[in-house]
Amino acid sequence: MLIIITRYLKEQHRRLDVAVNNMPQALLLFDGSERLVVCNKRYLQMFGLSSDVVKTGCKLRDVIQHRKDVGTFFGNVDEYCDRIREASKTQQRTQNIVSSPDGRWLQVVNQPLAKGGWVSTIEDVTEQRLAEERTVRLALYDTLTELPNRASFLGHLGHHLAQCSDQSKVAVLFLDTDEFKTVNDSLGHQVGDELLKSMALNLQECLGKGEFVARLGGDEFAVVAAGISGREEVTALVDRIYHAIRRPHECGNHRLTIDSSIGIAIAPMDGTSCDEILQNADLAMYEAKTSGRRTYRFFEPGMEKKAKKRRVLETELRAAIVDGAIEVYYQPIIDLRRNLIVGCEALARWKHPERGFISPAEFIPIAEQSGLIDQLGEYVLREACGEAATWSANVKLAVNVSPVQFKSGTFALKVMSALANSGLAPTRLELEITEAVLIGDDHAALQILHQIRELGVRVALDDFGTGYSSLSYLRRFPFDKIKIDRSFINDLTEQDGSSGIVKAVVAMAAAQKMVTTAEGVETEEQRDMLRQLQCEEMQGFLFSPARPAPEIRCLLELETRKQVAHSR
């Protein structure tokens, strides 16, 4: 019987030993005199310890000192042992997560025993800890730029707003990247992402103590500056920000320059809550953007009224489009060699019943931001085709196409419908597009352009030279015309002006059998220079501003009579 019992106990001991030494956690058992009773292999492996030192009967201090010697224990050995000893005496269970010298996170649990001594378990929770940190980071940081996100920004801002005063103010700067959409549309989203990352890095580097930057979303950033005493400090910060973001950005194979419109609100005078201060900074940013971009504005109370006015204007514009209250004006396009009208560009004009004529510079951006530009563009196309059908057959019609119209997927059908309803010959219609039309998926965009070309409609590239990829698109699609942007015409006759650029564009277009039209011609000197450079067409105030349909008909009839008289 004794032999059986002995065998049984040995088997049980073996099983216990197997179980203890295959646990994922490290396990230690100390008796009331702080001597080691049980230590599993996981503990030795976890800390790289020797079984010759850590063995049954050794003292707690010997174990911890050995860990100190091999470099897997931080802190003071005696203080640590004192804490364990005190917890054991008071029967207090302890649980802590500590970091190890090799970068691991360990959860240490010390459980006192009723008759003295304690059990220690140590578990490697590094993966769990890292997963938790990743979750927190995803909640508080932007994955693209690694800047704090909107949630983190609002938390940071709220903390400083709670402490701000008239003597220690908090400034919020709302940054909207100018022309970022052009970069995205012309060069693709990958280049756009690289630009955002470069901007984020530059912004971080330019900030000092008490300043915090976050990406709110898209191409919008925000900066918080705490402890501000006056506007002068904010202006100095704006100068630093502009210096940072205006530096050239290396984005793949492209070297880009970018700018920003900045709105500024200062607490507590411009608001005391996160929503209020951020909204007012946003209003100031919009004011900067409508003031020509590339500048900054401090919030003023009247800006809220302007925002309300814009919302009212959007509502009225929507109604004006539905009611047919938008007029289409026409600006003549002149053949420079023969001094004859060869076409007219259709332009939307809005005569408000109370405010009179509203500038396109005011209502076109509203139409673009609100999504009304698609309806407006289709309305102008139909009206203009109907009007042009009444003109002489040798006068063409030019109509601008917005990127929104182009992306609708049914644009070619809408062009066919407008031509069919008006009876205008397709060869007399010329659609003007900008690079923004050739967005990200330019393969699909080029397919649509070929569909339009198959209808017999001409295609012109507008605002040539102001974008990023004009030359590359000229190689990929045979445009009928290049329109030279007015920015190159303004200083055309000056000594260090843009005549060389215009000459190069004209020569390049001629080689590709494309017509060139100069926009914004206002002086006879500009016209004469364009003739010398062999530019073929022009339009601008020198000959005529945009005119309503009845006036343009009279002008075209007069032109016809002149041609007839000249031929006789």
Side-chain angles (χ1 to χ4, degrees):
M1 176 65 85
L2 182 59
I3 295 174
I4 295 174
I5 293 173
T6 301
R7 288 177 179 173
Y8 173 78
L9 291 174
K10 284 183 178 180
E11 180 61 22
Q12 291 298 99
H13 183 271
R14 188 190 67 79
R15 289 177 179 177
L16 178 62
D17 185 64
V18 170
V20 168
N21 285 302
N22 284 278
M23 289 174 59
Q25 300 92 357
L27 175 70
L28 297 172
L29 171 62
F30 289 91
D31 62 19
S33 60
E34 301 180 18
R35 291 190 178 278
L36 184 64
V37 178
V38 175
C39 172
N40 67 356
K41 292 178 182 177
R42 178 68 177 131
Y43 184 77
L44 300 177
Q45 295 166 353
M46 185 177 285
F47 298 111
L49 304 178
S50 170
S51 59
D52 294 333
V53 177
V54 181
K55 57 186 178 181
T56 302
C58 71
K59 300 281 285 186
L60 168 65
R61 194 187 186 287
D62 298 331
V63 176
I64 304 305
Q65 183 62 51
H66 186 38
R67 279 185 54 189
K68 182 84 172 180
D69 294 340
V70 300
T72 57
F73 177 79
F74 284 129
N76 185 283
V77 173
D78 291 326
E79 289 179 1
Y80 178 81
C81 292
D82 288 342
R83 287 198 300 271
I84 298 295
R85 189 178 299 115
E86 185 62 29
S88 176
K89 288 179 180 178
T90 58
Q91 293 290 295
Q92 182 181 358
R93 182 180 185 271
T94 61
Q95 179 173 324
N96 299 297
I97 293 180
V98 298
S99 61
S100 65
D102 59 0
R104 291 178 296 169
W105 290 95
L106 306 172
Q107 180 174 271
V108 181
V109 178
N110 292 311
Q111 178 64 56
L113 301 175
K115 295 182 179 180
W118 68 92
V119 175
S120 294
T121 57
I122 304 166
E123 182 177 3
D124 188 330
V125 293
T126 304
E127 287 302 319
Q128 177 184 338
R129 182 79 175 220
L130 292 176
E132 291 172 355
E133 289 179 353
R134 284 193 293 269
T135 302
V136 171
R137 187 163 188 84
L138 285 173
L140 296 177
Y141 287 83
D142 172 54
T143 54
L144 176 65
T145 63
E146 296 187 357
L147 288 180
N149 62 14
R150 178 181 286 269
S152 182
F153 171 80
L154 292 175
H156 187 85
L157 175 59
H159 170 75
H160 285 294
L161 288 179
Q163 303 177 37
C164 75
S165 65
D166 291 333
Q167 292 72 40
S168 182
K169 303 177 179 69
V170 175
V172 173
L173 290 72
F174 194 110
L175 287 68
D176 185 89
T177 309
D178 294 330
E179 307 297 345
F180 178 75
K181 187 176 185 301
T182 303
V183 176
N184 247 1
D185 291 348
S186 300
L187 303 179
H189 293 286
Q190 186 174 357
V191 174
D193 287 349
E194 289 300 317
L195 177 58
L196 289 174
K197 287 193 284 187
S198 180
M199 287 180 64
L201 183 61
N202 286 6
L203 283 169
Q204 280 183 307
E205 291 177 348
C206 82
L207 299 183
K209 185 179 179 181
E211 297 166 351
F212 175 89
V213 62
R215 182 189 180 202
L216 300 187
D219 60 346
E220 295 176 344
F221 298 86
V223 173
V224 174
I228 297 295
S229 59
R231 282 193 173 191
E232 296 79 10
E233 291 178 60
V234 181
T235 303
L237 171 58
V238 170
D239 290 340
R240 277 189 279 131
I241 289 173
Y242 273 132
H243 179 73
I245 63 177
R246 285 171 176 167
R247 296 204 305 262
H249 302 271
E250 303 295 337
C251 305
N253 296 324
H254 303 276
R255 196 166 192 258
L256 306 179
T257 55
I258 203 72
D259 221 307
S260 180
S261 299
I262 303 177
I264 306 160
I266 302 177
M269 67 277 291
D270 296 334
T272 55
S273 70
C274 289
D275 289 344
E276 186 179 13
I277 202 76
L278 194 57
Q279 179 183 351
N280 289 341
D282 188 18
L283 289 171
M285 182 278 297
Y286 194 90
E287 186 71 18
K289 196 166 280 289
T290 55
S291 298
R293 306 186 180 192
R294 298 171 176 80
T295 188
Y296 66 94
R297 290 288 184 270
F298 285 92
F299 171 76
E300 296 174 2
M303 292 177 180
E304 192 171 355
K305 293 181 180 179
K306 286 187 178 181
K308 184 177 180 181
K309 180 182 174 182
R310 284 194 297 269
R311 290 192 293 270
V312 171
L313 203 61
E314 178 186 331
T315 302
E316 293 177 337
L317 177 60
R318 193 181 302 275
I321 295 172
V322 173
D323 297 340
I326 301 296
E327 294 183 68
V328 181
Y329 276 41
Y330 303 87
Q331 185 175 43
I333 300 171
I334 312 302
D335 184 310
L336 281 165
R337 288 169 293 188
R338 297 179 295 161
N339 199 34
L340 297 175
I341 299 175
V342 291
C344 294
E345 180 179 356
L347 300 164
R349 294 293 184 266
W350 181 17
K351 188 175 183 180
H352 193 277
E354 298 173 1
R355 297 173 53 191
F357 277 104
I358 297 176
S359 168
E362 186 176 357
F363 75 81
I364 293 296
I366 291 175
E368 290 174 339
Q369 293 159 13
S370 62
L372 290 172
I373 194 69
D374 191 15
Q375 287 177 260
L376 179 60
E378 186 176 354
Y379 172 81
V380 170
L381 177 64
R382 288 183 174 277
E383 288 290 309
C385 285
E387 173 61 29
T390 67
W391 302 341
S392 172
N394 61 347
V395 179
K396 292 182 171 59
L397 168 70
V399 180
N400 290 286
V401 179
S402 75
V404 177
Q405 283 177 276
F406 198 80
K407 286 188 292 186
S408 67
T410 58
F411 179 65
L413 293 175
K414 291 178 180 177
V415 173
M416 290 176 60
S417 175
L419 290 171
N421 289 336
S422 64
L424 181 69
T427 53
R428 292 180 57 198
L429 177 61
E430 192 171 83
L431 298 178
E432 298 183 0
I433 69 166
T434 63
E435 284 186 12
V437 167
L438 299 162
I439 46 180
D441 186 6
D442 55 8
H443 176 71
L446 290 170
Q447 281 188 318
I448 297 174
L449 287 176
H450 282 294
Q451 291 174 4
I452 293 168
R453 171 63 64 75
E454 288 171 4
L455 296 175
V457 174
R458 293 163 56 86
V459 182
L461 183 59
D462 200 6
D463 299 337
F464 183 81
T466 60
Y468 292 90
S469 303
S470 300
L471 293 176
S472 67
Y473 287 127
L474 290 183
R475 292 198 304 268
R476 300 178 65 184
F477 183 80
F479 289 94
D480 298 286
K481 178 184 287 189
I482 294 173
K483 299 197 75 174
I484 303 172
D485 188 72
R486 66 180 63 245
S487 62
F488 297 110
I489 307 303
N490 291 338
D491 63 351
L492 180 64
T493 57
E494 296 178 13
Q495 186 173 359
D496 298 321
S498 55
S499 60
I501 296 174
V502 173
K503 182 178 181 179
V505 172
V506 170
M508 179 180 58
Q512 299 293 325
K513 298 182 180 180
M514 300 176 187
V515 177
T516 47
T517 301
E519 298 180 291
V521 180
E522 298 184 354
T523 69
E524 293 182 357
E525 290 79 7
Q526 291 172 344
R527 178 197 61 195
D528 295 341
M529 177 66 79
L530 287 167
R531 282 175 173 161
Q532 290 178 29
L533 297 174
Q534 299 185 342
C535 180
E536 294 165 277
E537 297 176 354
M538 75 163 200
Q539 65 184 100
F541 274 51
L542 176 63
F543 184 86
S544 173
R547 299 172 180 267
E551 289 185 23
I552 207 69
R553 282 188 223 124
C554 292
L555 189 61
L556 291 174
E557 288 171 6
L558 179 62
E559 186 82 0
T560 300
R561 288 198 295 270
K562 282 169 57 180
Q563 290 182 42
V564 171
H566 180 73
S567 64
R568 290 176 180 174

